[in-house]
Amino acid sequence: LHLSLRRQRQMCIRDSCLIILSSIFLFIYHTNKRIDKTIIHEKPNYRAIYHFTTPDKWKNDPQKPIFLDGKYHYYYLYNHDYPNGNGTEWRQATSEDLVHWKDEGVAIPKYTNKNGDIWSGSTVVDIKNTAGFGKGAIVAIVTQPSGSDNQQEQSLWYSTDKGKTFKSYGDQPIILNPGTKDFRDPKIIWDSQNDKWVMLLAEGTKIGFYESYNLKNWNYTGGFFTQNIGIVECPDLFIMQANDGTYKWILGASANGKSSGKPNTYAYWIGNYNGKEFAANQNEPQWLDYGFDWYAGVTFENGNSTDKFTKRYALAWMNNWDYPNNTPTIQDGFNGIDSIVRQINLKKQTDNTYSLISQPVETLDSLITSTDNFKQIEVTGSKTLKVQSEAYQLDADISWSDAKNIGFRLRESSDKKRHIDVGVFVEGQYTYVNRGFTGQPDKSKKYIESKAAFDTSNKKVHLKILVDKTSIEVFVDDGKVTYSNEVFPNLNDKGITLFSIGGKSIFKNVTIKHLRSINK
């Protein structure tokens, strides 16, 4: 009996030891798995926190989003063969709030008809079945480089499954090239006053106007000739109601004014459209962005409101054809980012002219995780905040008396040597964004500081600045002047410094809203 009891005690001790060892092993195993997951999750990369990016490979031109069944359907040029070329196709993403996006895959594949790959164009919802594909069919008209000589011609594609997939109307383009080198980027709108479809085409330095009643047969009605802004692309036409109640037509296009010291972004004119052609109130265009990286911009209606005229949305490709491949995101398997969606309104200015003003879309606030507030900060020289971040919206009211240069150094390194500067240069009477002190894509050093004229006589300014891993977007005062720039700072550079050179400045209502990722 004594031996039996001793054996039982030994067995219990052995079993207890086995249980303890197993528990220790399981604890170590699961802890290591959690550590591995954390390491994988926190691996540094250049994927934007809250900007739309292509899932992989390459993206460039946005296509005008349409609103259907409670969602915005957004198509963009995509190349799954990047970096090896071989053309683009249309990939789709959908969103309910213009902040969170769901990838829907390729909607119009390249090289599925005889006309080549798929370039820019636009889509419309054919509510009245004018084209004969059924009520509510989505019709896309796109540019394709047809024939052996790759002439730019316009082809029709249509969707009967709410934009998920498209079918080619045929190998024969619906608009043949009239013998010009540049003949692309069709933009279609419905002219409710004349009950017809209107198309704009980028034709070198001219924007051509066309009309149709069935989306298949088109007639030329007139043209708008631009001056001193290079070849135009991605034309745009819409009507808006200004803050004084008047209605104005706006004609827009992506253009290159760098030869005359103008932006290389989205030019627009205020004027009148008579159903045939557009007449501008002024020959000189205004610009929707003064940065280096807001190209192929599109504007589109607010789908959630019956009011289609007082508020509109806009977004653009954040890159520049002078340095499209100079991005460290390639190491993460992609190259392609869009600006945030911005809300645009039409405002009458003090000189009785009209201008588009921009602000970030309101739904961006859904990403706020925390906020830092500073009621008032007096700065002479510089003052570094204790707050650090890589993705946020910063607002501030700044006033000065005798200071010469006022603003922020953002994404600053701990040794203060690397940073992006946003501010007001009083003597030069301009606002600016300078990315020359950090990693940025322009190796030629031609695109270092973007700037726009600013009346410094009032000695005050409101700056709204959106900072992300690879971008800076700035809205000055009411948003008549905006900047969108790619930047590639060291991922550890997260400092924020206020500066006032040549005198004292007062920074009031400094608010930093930290933004979470849209990819979680």
Side-chain angles (χ1 to χ4, degrees):
L1 178 62
H2 177 73
L3 291 173
S4 177
L5 290 171
R6 188 168 64 180
R7 266 193 216 100
Q8 288 179 14
R9 284 198 297 271
Q10 289 173 344
M11 290 175 65
C12 288
I13 293 170
R14 182 196 64 189
D15 291 345
S16 298
C17 290
L18 287 173
I19 291 171
I20 292 170
L21 287 172
S22 297
S23 299
I24 292 171
F25 173 78
L26 288 172
F27 173 79
I28 293 172
Y29 172 76
H30 287 295
T31 300
N32 285 337
K33 284 199 72 176
R34 285 196 296 271
I35 292 172
D36 289 342
K37 286 181 179 179
T38 302
I39 292 172
I40 292 171
H41 179 69
E42 294 182 353
K43 178 183 176 182
N45 65 75
Y46 281 93
R47 177 78 66 177
I49 299 294
Y50 58 90
H51 284 74
F52 176 83
T53 54
T54 182
D56 57 21
K57 302 298 184 176
W58 166 271
K59 85 165 293 296
N60 57 304
D61 293 11
Q63 313 303 311
K64 174 186 173 183
I66 56 174
F67 190 77
L68 182 67
D69 293 341
K71 294 180 180 179
Y72 292 93
H73 295 250
Y74 168 49
Y75 303 92
Y76 58 91
L77 296 191
Y78 169 75
N79 177 16
H80 69 257
D81 299 305
Y82 182 79
N84 298 318
N86 201 32
T88 53
E89 55 197 347
W90 277 24
R91 189 161 184 153
Q92 183 190 19
T94 56
S95 176
E96 296 180 2
D97 63 359
L98 299 174
V99 173
H100 299 86
W101 296 92
K102 178 185 177 184
D103 177 50
E104 304 285 358
V106 173
I108 306 182
K110 55 187 174 183
Y111 302 113
T112 50
N113 66 9
K114 294 182 179 180
N115 299 327
D117 58 328
I118 309 298
W119 293 7
S120 283
S122 61
T123 56
V124 292
V125 181
D126 190 8
I127 298 174
K128 297 184 178 182
N129 192 26
T130 62
F133 301 120
K135 290 184 177 181
I138 298 177
V139 175
I141 299 180
V142 305
T143 299
Q144 291 189 268
S146 304
S148 58
D149 53 357
N150 291 329
Q151 282 193 328
Q152 298 170 17
E153 297 180 320
Q154 316 316 316
S155 299
L156 188 150
W157 294 70
Y158 65 96
S159 173
T160 55
D161 61 1
K162 297 186 178 181
K164 294 180 180 179
T165 61
F166 285 78
K167 299 176 182 178
S168 174
Y169 179 57
D171 291 331
Q172 181 67 20
I174 59 168
I175 302 182
L176 299 174
N177 190 296
T180 63
K181 178 183 176 181
D182 301 297
F183 190 66
R184 58 180 176 269
D185 304 342
K187 182 64 59 66
I188 318 163
I189 68 168
W190 175 253
D191 181 356
S192 58
Q193 295 178 347
N194 298 291
D195 205 34
K196 66 178 181 180
W197 297 103
V198 173
M199 177 194 292
L200 286 71
L201 280 171
E203 304 176 17
T205 58
K206 170 188 143 185
I207 299 173
F209 287 79
Y210 300 78
E211 65 180 5
S212 175
Y213 296 91
N214 61 8
L215 291 167
K216 300 173 182 175
N217 305 109
W218 293 88
N219 298 312
Y220 177 78
T221 62
F224 179 82
F225 293 86
T226 65
Q227 298 177 358
N228 302 319
I229 56 173
I231 301 299
V232 296
E233 296 186 293
C234 307
D236 198 9
L237 180 68
F238 53 95
I239 189 171
M240 292 198 77
Q241 185 180 19
N243 61 329
D244 65 349
T246 59
Y247 288 83
K248 300 290 182 180
W249 281 94
I250 297 100
L251 176 68
S254 287
N256 189 348
K258 65 181 180 181
S259 62
S260 54
K262 300 170 186 175
N264 180 16
T265 59
Y266 181 106
Y268 70 92
W269 299 261
I270 309 293
N272 296 290
Y273 173 69
N274 62 7
K276 297 292 183 180
E277 56 190 0
F278 178 88
N281 294 341
Q282 296 177 314
N283 291 330
E284 188 71 17
Q286 300 184 63
W287 298 84
L288 203 52
D289 199 283
Y290 287 84
F292 298 130
D293 303 301
W294 207 84
Y295 197 73
V298 292
T299 70
F300 55 102
E301 291 180 346
N302 176 12
N304 286 309
S305 173
T306 56
D307 182 2
K308 305 295 184 183
F309 302 109
T310 60
K311 181 172 71 173
R312 199 170 175 87
Y313 296 118
L315 77 156
W317 176 48
M318 287 197 74
N319 209 331
N320 189 307
W321 282 118
D322 282 355
Y323 45 76
N325 299 306
N326 296 344
T327 162
T329 66
I330 294 174
Q331 71 186 26
D332 300 312
F334 77 99
N335 184 354
I337 179 175
D338 283 342
S339 70
I340 61 156
V341 175
R342 59 173 70 171
Q343 174 184 310
I344 59 174
N345 303 88
L346 185 63
K347 182 178 179 180
K348 187 176 183 179
Q349 304 297 319
T350 54
D351 61 358
N352 293 323
T353 61
Y354 293 82
S355 299
L356 293 175
I357 61 172
S358 302
Q359 290 294 323
V361 64
E362 293 176 352
T363 47
L364 197 64
D365 285 348
S366 66
L367 301 180
I368 297 172
T369 59
S370 62
T371 303
D372 289 296
N373 293 294
F374 302 88
K375 187 175 181 181
Q376 181 168 309
I377 306 173
E378 294 186 6
V379 180
T380 302
S382 65
K383 185 168 293 187
T384 299
L385 301 181
K386 293 183 179 180
V387 178
Q388 291 201 345
S389 185
E390 64 181 354
Y392 54 92
Q393 175 180 302
L394 186 157
D395 281 87
D397 295 303
I398 311 173
S399 60
W400 62 90
S401 55
D402 54 353
K404 308 300 182 185
N405 191 5
I406 309 103
F408 293 91
R409 293 200 294 265
L410 306 170
R411 295 300 303 271
E412 188 174 47
S413 60
S414 57
D415 62 5
K416 310 296 184 183
K417 292 182 179 180
R418 299 186 301 271
H419 44 83
I420 302 117
D421 296 353
V422 178
V424 180
F425 186 58
V426 179
E427 292 181 330
Q429 296 192 47
Y430 61 79
T431 56
Y432 65 90
V433 177
N434 189 314
R435 61 186 184 182
F437 301 103
T438 191
Q440 48 87 23
D442 175 34
K443 306 306 179 185
S444 71
K445 306 299 183 182
K446 295 178 181 177
Y447 300 91
I448 296 299
E449 183 177 80
S450 49
K451 58 186 179 181
F454 180 75
D455 181 4
T456 60
S457 62
N458 291 328
K459 298 186 177 183
K460 64 179 181 179
V461 68
H462 179 86
L463 295 179
K464 184 186 297 290
I465 308 171
L466 294 177
V467 179
D468 206 337
K469 279 189 176 181
T470 62
S471 63
I472 292 280
E473 290 162 281
V474 180
F475 301 79
V476 181
D477 284 339
D478 62 357
K480 180 184 176 183
V481 170
T482 64
Y483 300 92
S484 299
N485 286 321
E486 283 188 299
V487 289
F488 301 118
N490 185 300
L491 293 175
N492 294 318
D493 295 350
K494 301 178 182 180
I496 302 172
T497 291
L498 291 59
F499 66 85
S500 178
I501 299 171
K504 183 174 70 174
S505 296
I506 308 297
F507 291 71
K508 289 185 177 181
N509 307 316
V510 179
T511 303
I512 302 169
K513 299 176 181 178
H514 303 273
L515 305 177
R516 63 176 172 82
S517 174
I518 61 172
N519 300 308
K520 294 180 180 179

